[in-house]
């Protein structure tokens, strides 16, 4: 059974994996035997990521690349193929969010979120699929969101992008499943990251931050999730164990999507 979950000999590209969710997933892949490649938009972020991987004993390959730029992405994939090998596993992790009420958001701001969160996964997937076909298969994992299913104030662009990414996931499955390419998504819940730390800090009077209280009340697990809790699902979807799973979004959310929330007292 352990052999099915092994990523030994595989080359994995995880976009935007200098830190956070992408870093946790890439680190899990390395422990499962994969060779890790990652990118970020600035050299300083790539250097920070390389140092963090090295601290864990992982010899990762880091590259500067803007995933919204098709020429840069094509050059990145060609470089990885030349220096490391054909990409067996792609995780489209890079993403942004702008929390702005819809009527206050400019069209340019909306387009930027769509560009990074939806157009970029299309661009990167399109760049790796031809070599996956030649090699006889591959795994593409898109980091979706609960916003693929739910709406919430101030995240119109993000929800639109993640809903689109869910359908792109299903369409890649539909078009390329015959080539032994499985494309699935992971929909994380609310994760403990440096970005969410301010939302989890206790207030001066010792009470929870209002958003922290909101998340706890909406999550059956009654807690924020840890990045490493995405490792198991991510390894599963990258391994032979999931060869019959295609076009699926696996929500790792502590049960939020199954729960209407606590009844007011």
């Amino acid at each position: 059974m352990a052999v099915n979950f092994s990523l030994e000999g595989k080359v994995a590209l995880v976009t935007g994996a200098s830190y956070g969710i992408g870093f946790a997933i890439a680190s899990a892949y390395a422990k499962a035997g994969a060779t890790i490649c990652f990118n970020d938009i600035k050299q300083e972020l790539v250097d920070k990521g390389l140092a963090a991987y090295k601290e864990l004993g992982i010899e990762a390959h880091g590259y500067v690349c803007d995933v919204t730029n098709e020429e840069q992405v094509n050059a990145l994939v060609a470089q990885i193929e030349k220096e490391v090998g054909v990409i067996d596993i792609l995780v489209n992790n890079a993403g942004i969010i702008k929390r702005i009420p819809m009527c206050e958001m400019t069209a340019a701001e909306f387009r930027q979120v769509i560009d990074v969160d939806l157009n970029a996964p299309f661009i990167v997937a399109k760049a790796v699929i031809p070599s996956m076909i030649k090699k006889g298969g591959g795994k593409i994992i898109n980091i979706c969101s609960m916003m693929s299913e739910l709406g919430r104030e101030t995240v119109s662009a993000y929800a639109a992008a993640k809903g689109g990414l869910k359908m792109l996931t299903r369409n890649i499955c539909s078009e390329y499943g015959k080539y032994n390419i499985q494309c699935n998504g992971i929909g994380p819940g609310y994760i403990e990251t440096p970005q969410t730390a301010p939302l989890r800090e206790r207030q001066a009077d010792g009470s929870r931050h209002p958003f922290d209280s909101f998340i706890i009340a909406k999550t059956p697990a009654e807690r924020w999730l840890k990045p490493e809790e995405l490792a198991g699902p991510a390894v599963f979807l990258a391994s032979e164990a999931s060869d019959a799973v295609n076009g699926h979004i696996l929500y790792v959310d502590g049960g939020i999507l199954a729960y209407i929330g606590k009844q007011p007292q």
Side-chain angles (χ1 to χ4, degrees), residues 9 14 25 46 50-51 70 78 85 91 111 120 145 155 169 171 175-176 179 212 235 262:
V14 185
I25 289 173
V46 171
L50 287 170
E70 190 165 14
V91 181
R111 288 191 192 101
S145 166
V155 293
T169 299
N171 208 78
E175 284 198 62
Y176 298 102
Y179 298 106
D212 187 20
V235 169
K262 288 185 178 179

Side-chain angles (χ1 to χ4, degrees), residues 12 40 50 70 75 78 85 93 96 112 118 128-129 139 172 181-182 184 194 217 219 231 238 247 263:
D40 222 310
L50 287 170
E70 190 165 14
N93 166 75
I96 62 170
Q112 185 185 8
L118 180 56
V128 304
I129 285 172
K139 303 281 186 175
I172 292 172
I181 293 173
Q182 290 84 48
N184 294 289
T219 308
Q263 181 176 333

Side-chain angles (χ1 to χ4, degrees), residues 75-117:
L76 169 68
V77 171
Q79 187 176 358
I80 291 172
E81 289 186 358
K82 181 180 178 181
E83 296 177 355
V84 186
V86 171
I87 294 163
D88 300 287
I89 303 159
L90 166 65
V91 181
N92 279 311
N93 166 75
I96 62 170
I97 187 169
K98 290 182 181 290
R99 294 182 178 88
I100 305 171
M102 180 175 163
C103 288
E104 296 173 20
M105 181 176 244
T106 66
E109 289 169 330
F110 188 91
R111 288 191 192 101
Q112 185 185 8
V113 176
I114 298 295
D115 205 22
V116 177
D117 293 358

Side-chain angles (χ1 to χ4, degrees), residues 6-254:
S6 172
L7 303 181
E8 200 68 43
K10 303 294 185 182
V11 175
L13 169 60
V14 185
T15 66
S18 296
Y19 58 90
I21 289 172
F23 180 83
I25 289 173
S27 298
Y29 285 172
K31 290 173 185 174
T35 300
I36 302 305
C37 301
F38 73 98
N39 81 290
D40 222 310
I41 199 164
K42 295 179 181 178
Q43 185 65 54
E44 61 193 74
L45 292 172
V46 171
D47 291 342
K48 183 179 177 182
L50 287 170
Y53 286 113
K54 192 169 185 179
E55 198 172 315
L56 293 179
I58 298 168
E59 293 299 324
H61 302 263
Y63 304 87
V64 177
C65 178
D66 177 356
V67 287
T68 68
N69 184 308
E70 190 165 14
E71 288 184 5
Q72 287 188 31
V73 168
N74 289 339
L76 169 68
V77 171
Q79 187 176 358
I80 291 172
E81 289 186 358
K82 181 180 178 181
E83 296 177 355
V84 186
V86 171
I87 294 163
D88 300 287
I89 303 159
L90 166 65
V91 181
N92 279 311
N93 166 75
I96 62 170
I97 187 169
K98 290 182 181 290
R99 294 182 178 88
I100 305 171
M102 180 175 163
C103 288
E104 296 173 20
M105 181 176 244
T106 66
E109 289 169 330
F110 188 91
R111 288 191 192 101
Q112 185 185 8
V113 176
I114 298 295
D115 205 22
V116 177
D117 293 358
L118 180 56
N119 290 342
F122 164 77
I123 290 168
V124 185
K126 190 160 75 84
V128 304
I129 285 172
S131 291
M132 286 182 172
I133 292 174
K134 288 178 186 175
K135 193 169 182 178
K139 303 281 186 175
I140 298 173
I141 299 160
N142 294 322
I143 303 302
C144 297
S145 166
M146 292 183 301
M147 296 300 111
S148 299
E149 301 288 343
L150 300 172
R152 188 167 63 78
E153 61 278 3
T154 77
V155 293
S156 59
Y158 185 78
K162 293 300 186 178
L165 186 57
K166 174 181 71 175
M167 293 312 300
L168 177 64
T169 299
R170 291 174 176 172
N171 208 78
I172 292 172
C173 155
S174 301
E175 284 198 62
Y176 298 102
K178 65 183 176 183
Y179 298 106
N180 190 33
I181 293 173
Q182 290 84 48
C183 182
N184 294 289
I186 293 177
Y190 287 91
I191 309 291
E192 288 184 5
T193 65
Q195 287 77 16
T196 62
L199 300 175
R200 291 178 279 107
E201 288 179 357
R202 291 283 177 170
Q203 305 297 285
D205 63 359
S207 64
R208 291 183 181 273
H209 186 287
F211 192 80
D212 187 20
S213 297
F214 168 70
I215 295 307
I216 298 303
K218 284 289 185 182
T219 308
E222 295 188 350
R223 64 179 179 86
W224 292 65
L225 309 180
K226 299 181 183 302
E228 53 266 30
E229 290 182 289
L230 296 170
V235 169
F236 166 66
L237 290 177
S239 72
E240 290 180 5
S242 63
D243 280 356
V245 180
N246 209 353
H248 178 73
I249 312 299
L250 176 53
Y251 291 100
V252 186
D253 64 355

